[in-house]
Amino acid sequence: MSKKFNPANAIQDLKQFGEFGGVNPSITDSATFTFLDEQTMIDTFHGKAEGCFLYSRHWNPSNKYLAQAMAALEGTESAWVTSSGMAAITTTLLQLCNSGDHIVTSVTTYGGTYAFLANYLKKFNIEVSFVNISDLESVKAALRPNTKVLYTESMTNPMLQISNIPELARLTGDNGTKLVVDNTFTPMIISPFQLGADIVVYSMTKFINGKNDCVAGAICADADFINAISDVNDGTAMLLGPVLDPLRSSGILKNLSTLHIRMQKHSSNAMFIAKHFEETRLKFIYPGLPSHPDYELMKSLMNPDYGFGGMIAIDLDTAERAAPFMEMMQEKGIGYHAVSLGYFKTLFSNSGKSTSSEVPEEIQKKMGLSPGLIRFSVGLDQDIERTFQWIKECLVELKYI
Ligand SMILES: Cc1ncc(COP(=O)(O)O)c(C=O)c1O
């Protein structure tokens, strides 16, 4: 009987020592590496020598450890770590697509991803079709013989739709279209590769690192793809050079070992707040409650132990109503009025005015993104009841409830 995939066990089971027996691997403080003989250097440049490092833009030991851990997290053969989440996404897409190719993507994605797909890829003559990823018929209809990528986020930013990864994988089938899934919102909770995705990308800036002290990303895939992006002759990662600094790699690696506990706490805190939002009759989105259209789907896809995630959105209808609420919440100490997510403190921002501002207003409207939508990344507060009381006080003071 096949054992169920458990990402936390996979991280725990890693045995990565420093070369002097340090329980944490040593940090690689070198851009370049020495070779004892010329032939090994030549072989390494031709990809024929195992275990040698040649230059840190290509690979370095600290990044290798973190990449191994990210591969373990997803259960992929290999991984590569990048200097940002956007670097992971753009490297992957530029590696997979040539001029004249076509991408089908969820219209609801992180604003930077949307901008890259809608605006930037034009210069390479790569066409992009934007679809409602929950409407599988429209996804199917958008696929063409030259579609190289079907792109989505496991839990979309900021609408918190859940992508039906197994069905999307079925649609791409064996016709050469790669299913690329951004799992930034749901590490450990959803394991896209296990569900049929070909490549999983991350902004590690968020939950993976959890400290908001650096920007980083990862690409998890089979060894052929990771070797291809790091090929010295034509690999997108090697040639565009979005390498992660090894000092940052080593910090993120240590934070991965607490990810399961953090995800559980983010999720239980978000669930508490969502249940209380429900009582206020405010409009809100949380996939962990039956009121969410993808609740059953999420239950069928998720790993059992990490909850439904730390992301909630509430809809106050207009930006003018959202602004004083966010300012008051920051003043009361509920969290920070800031973009990004996965931090130990609660972060909130008006998506349409910030992380989705790249999406034109008429498309925001079409995807159901209200101008008053506030996205919350719920923090690790020990006393979440106290936090909710403060949120409620803000809502009452502003006469919203
Ligand atoms: C879902 C998602 N993917 C990717 C990114 C981009 O990541 P980074 O800011 O690390 O480049 C973000 C950033 O907010 C995001 O929310």
Side-chain angles (χ1 to χ4, degrees), residues 280-291:
T280 66
R281 298 181 184 278
L282 280 172
K283 282 182 274 180
F284 75 100
I285 310 174
Y286 187 62
L289 290 177
S291 54

Side-chain angles (χ1 to χ4, degrees), residues 205-249:
T205 315
K206 315 290 164 35
F207 290 105
I208 297 278
N209 186 44
K211 301 278 163 63
N212 241 293
D213 54 5
C214 71
V215 172
I219 303 166
C220 306
D222 62 27
D224 282 350
F225 186 73
I226 300 302
N227 290 339
I229 62 171
S230 52
D231 188 286
V232 295
N233 292 305
D234 58 8
T236 308
M238 183 62 185
L239 300 180
L240 299 190
V243 70
L244 182 58
D245 185 279
L247 184 61
R248 290 306 187 183
S249 278

